[in-house]
Amino acid sequence: MNLGVDVEVTGLCRRFGGKVILDQLNLSCRAGEFVAIVGRSGSGKSTFLRLLAGLDRPDDGDVRVEGKVLTGLCPSSRMMFQDSRLLPWLRVGDNAGLGLPKSERKRSLELLGQVGLADRVTDWPAILSGGQKQRVALARSLAAAPRLLLLDEPLGSLDALTRLEMQQLIETLVKESGATTILITHDVEEAVALADRVILLAKGRLAHEWEIDLPRPRDRSGQGYVNLTRQILGKVLVE
Amino acid sequence: MTHRLFPWLVPLSLLIAWQAAGEFGWLSNRIMPAPSAVLRAGFRLAESGELARHLGISFQRAASGFVIGGGLGLILGILTGASRIAESLIDSTMQMLRTMPHLALIPLVILWLGIGEAAKVFLVALGVLFPVYLNTHHGVRNVDPGLIEMSRVHGLGRWGLFRRVLLPGALPSILVGVRFGLGVMWLTLIVAETIAAASGIGYLAMNAREFLQTDVVVLSILLYALLGKLADTIARWLEHVLLPWHPAHARSLSSSKPGEIP
């Protein structure tokens, strides 16, 4: 089991044109912590995640991963997107092993097994359903044993039932991997179900945060869960 | 549903009508020899070895011109597709040159290179260059940026990105360019061989014209048609082999269970 990294964000600013997307954002994540970020569209969630991945550069402030300022792509991180982004010309097994040296390809096959796609290894992505594609993408993200896992609304385009299944998969596999995880989501229930901490982003700033210390696996009809969900949702709507 | 042979009905009856017109003397042999006469001319030339010789030479010109022009187009297209610097350096020049019909260069090419092999290979290469270049450039440029971003996040370097993402992503478009290029290749060769050549199918036709051998002229035309069809078949076969993942080219996406194809 590998250990997650700690992430320290200080004074992070990002502007596009004259528009301020991230405004002096501060945040720190403990190694192995699962943080969910909620907020309305346009609150800067995705921009923030891209900065953490090193896909974009901040105008001001910095991201530190294990104390080191991030200057390029973050090598210990992997990212999962809202669309699966599988390479259509590689078979499922090769997609899951993308970027891995030959010697580590076995891990990607094991992970495909864990997400229930062991029998689809030689299929082309085109014949998979949306949920299956996203499971391949999850396996691909975890195969490299990332120490920082960035999830950009990975379940946003799935139907309700597939979503629930994926949430369970993410909860078990991510906890098993030990990676520090940052999940962006529109779905407050999803955030409360998965995360150790939920953060509300509004107008490019950290508006609120909640520690979720409900026991896992979380009972979605439990009083604590329902109350927290309602409380967070109320804040999201106000901000 | 119609019968499998149904599409052949019209061409077959045309062929029969053509033969009949020749047999009954409605169509002068000078103007249009009957199919049987064309076939006989073909056998005659095949027996004397002339047919193979001319075919071989034409094929050689076509192939070497295609490889040179297509290869250059591929390399330039990948370069300008993948690098902004190369694009601003080369692309506008290529776009300007492209508007010039390459067949208009024939007089100049004859002046430069005479009527030897080099002139024909040069013309074919020039003709093939642009369709392959344009489609390669377009193909590389239009690879989904999301896939490129994803690949970078997953640790692919420059070479990996090219080999795993850019090239396979551009391949459908490159093959369209190859198909266009093959068409241009034959057309250029026909013109070049007809205007100035001492061998090849075009020469065969022009030579036969001098001696009023209409059957050989028609044979040459049919040979070009056949070669064009052959090139197209090869291109389609290439698409089938190289793009097994592509829903438009794969006959069936293999190893899928029945009823799961969306």
Side-chain angles (χ1 to χ4, degrees):
Chain A
M1 177 160 154
N2 69 316
L3 285 174
V5 287
D6 50 86
V7 179
E8 186 83 38
V9 172
T10 40
L12 205 64
C13 289
R14 187 72 178 103
R15 294 174 285 270
F16 290 111
K19 202 165 156 28
V20 178
I21 303 296
L22 290 179
D23 185 12
Q24 295 286 333
L25 188 71
N26 297 310
L27 176 69
S28 61
C29 306
R30 302 183 302 271
E33 191 180 14
F34 194 136
V35 177
I37 300 180
V38 297
R40 302 188 153 209
S41 13
S43 59
K45 307 190 295 283
S46 284
T47 308
F48 177 54
L49 209 65
R50 293 176 60 81
L51 287 170
L52 288 183
L55 282 169
D56 190 12
R57 306 245 57 84
D59 291 310
D60 212 347
D62 51 40
V63 175
R64 281 167 201 272
V65 176
E66 286 207 301
K68 280 198 281 289
V69 175
L70 199 64
T71 50
L73 280 173
C74 180
S76 51
S77 81
R78 287 293 180 269
M79 187 161 171
M80 205 178 149
F81 303 87
Q82 183 170 6
D83 44 342
S84 61
R85 304 202 183 175
L86 300 182
L87 296 172
W89 43 84
L90 293 185
R91 293 179 190 269
V92 166
D94 294 325
N95 260 297
L98 189 74
L100 288 184
K102 276 249 159 26
S103 51
E104 288 171 42
R105 292 295 286 278
K106 240 186 82 211
R107 260 193 67 76
S108 62
L109 295 181
E110 280 169 22
L111 272 157
L112 275 180
Q114 284 179 289
V115 299
L117 292 173
D119 54 338
R120 309 305 295 265
V121 169
T122 57
D123 280 347
W124 297 110
I127 61 169
L128 299 185
S129 70
Q132 290 170 330
K133 284 181 188 167
Q134 227 30 346
R135 278 191 269 157
V136 178
L138 178 64
R140 178 179 63 188
S141 304
L142 291 169
R147 306 183 63 196
L148 173 60
L149 187 64
L150 306 168
L151 308 173
D152 189 2
E153 289 190 50
L155 312 184
S157 55
L158 301 181
D159 64 85
L161 200 62
T162 316
R163 245 182 131 122
L164 278 177
E165 287 169 7
M166 271 302 272
Q167 285 170 5
Q168 278 160 14
L169 263 178
I170 287 179
E171 181 166 23
T172 43
L173 289 180
V174 165
K175 275 289 147 200
E176 216 171 275
S177 82
T180 307
T181 305
I182 298 177
L183 165 75
I184 282 185
T185 179
H186 272 118
D187 185 346
V188 171
E189 280 196 39
E190 181 172 298
V192 178
L194 295 177
D196 301 320
R197 181 155 55 122
V198 176
I199 281 169
L200 171 60
L201 213 63
K203 300 186 188 85
R205 283 168 173 275
L206 197 158
H208 270 280
E209 57 183 310
W210 296 267
E211 291 285 342
I212 315 290
D213 45 12
L214 300 170
R216 290 174 189 270
R218 286 170 181 163
D219 172 15
R220 296 187 184 218
S221 51
Q223 199 53 47
Y225 179 90
V226 173
N227 282 345
L228 255 171
T229 308
R230 194 174 296 151
Q231 192 190 344
I232 297 174
L233 198 59
K235 283 285 183 199
V236 172
L237 292 174
V238 169
E239 288 291 342
Chain B
M1 285 308 270
T2 51
H3 196 268
R4 230 158 40 88
L5 293 176
F6 202 64
W8 292 96
L9 204 60
V10 174
L12 270 178
S13 28
L14 277 175
L15 202 68
I16 291 167
W18 178 13
Q19 180 69 35
E23 295 282 333
F24 297 121
W26 299 331
L27 206 61
S28 155
N29 224 11
R30 283 275 161 76
I31 294 171
M32 195 64 176
S36 56
V38 175
L39 216 61
R40 241 177 290 132
F43 281 126
R44 202 179 62 233
L45 286 169
E47 254 173 6
S48 70
E50 255 185 287
L51 190 67
R53 189 168 65 85
H54 290 299
L55 260 177
I57 286 172
S58 286
F59 178 78
Q60 224 168 47
R61 289 170 182 157
S64 37
F66 185 84
V67 168
I68 294 170
L72 210 62
L74 186 71
I75 291 168
L76 288 176
I78 287 171
L79 248 122
T80 56
S83 142
R84 291 277 168 195
I85 300 171
E87 187 187 21
S88 53
L89 194 69
I90 304 170
D91 188 55
S92 54
T93 315
M94 290 297 278
Q95 299 293 348
M96 273 189 278
L97 287 176
R98 174 176 81 94
T99 57
M100 195 168 49
H102 66 293
L103 292 176
L105 289 180
I106 288 179
L108 201 59
V109 171
I110 291 177
L111 278 177
W112 288 345
L113 301 168
I115 64 161
E117 292 309 291
K120 285 160 204 72
V121 172
F122 177 81
L123 277 171
V124 171
L126 197 65
V128 172
L129 171 67
F130 294 105
V132 173
Y133 167 79
L134 285 176
N135 284 287
T136 304
H137 172 82
H138 175 83
V140 174
R141 182 48 46 88
N142 280 333
V143 172
D144 181 358
L147 291 182
I148 297 175
E149 192 180 81
M150 178 281 297
S151 305
R152 288 180 58 218
V153 172
H154 281 82
L156 260 65
R158 273 175 161 290
W159 170 242
L161 196 66
F162 173 73
R163 196 170 62 93
R164 293 321 252 311
V165 186
L166 289 183
L167 194 61
L171 204 54
S173 182
I174 293 175
L175 289 176
V176 170
V178 165
R179 247 172 124 170
F180 269 110
L182 286 172
V184 175
M185 172 185 85
W186 287 120
L187 196 73
T188 312
L189 199 68
I190 293 168
V191 175
E193 284 188 341
T194 305
I195 290 176
S199 56
I201 304 168
Y203 166 77
L204 196 68
M206 287 315 279
N207 197 44
R209 183 198 54 118
E210 302 241 355
F211 299 106
L212 295 176
Q213 292 172 307
T214 335
D215 47 355
V216 178
V217 176
V218 175
L219 177 75
S220 311
I221 296 170
L222 289 181
L223 277 178
Y224 273 131
L226 216 64
L227 288 172
K229 178 72 192 158
L230 187 72
D232 203 57
T233 309
I234 291 173
R236 274 219 297 230
W237 174 81
L238 269 181
E239 281 176 353
H240 183 66
V241 170
L242 293 176
L243 309 174
W245 52 273
H246 203 291
H249 298 300
R251 245 165 246 148
S252 66
L253 291 163
S254 58
S255 78
S256 62
K257 294 175 198 81
E260 281 195 328
I261 295 166

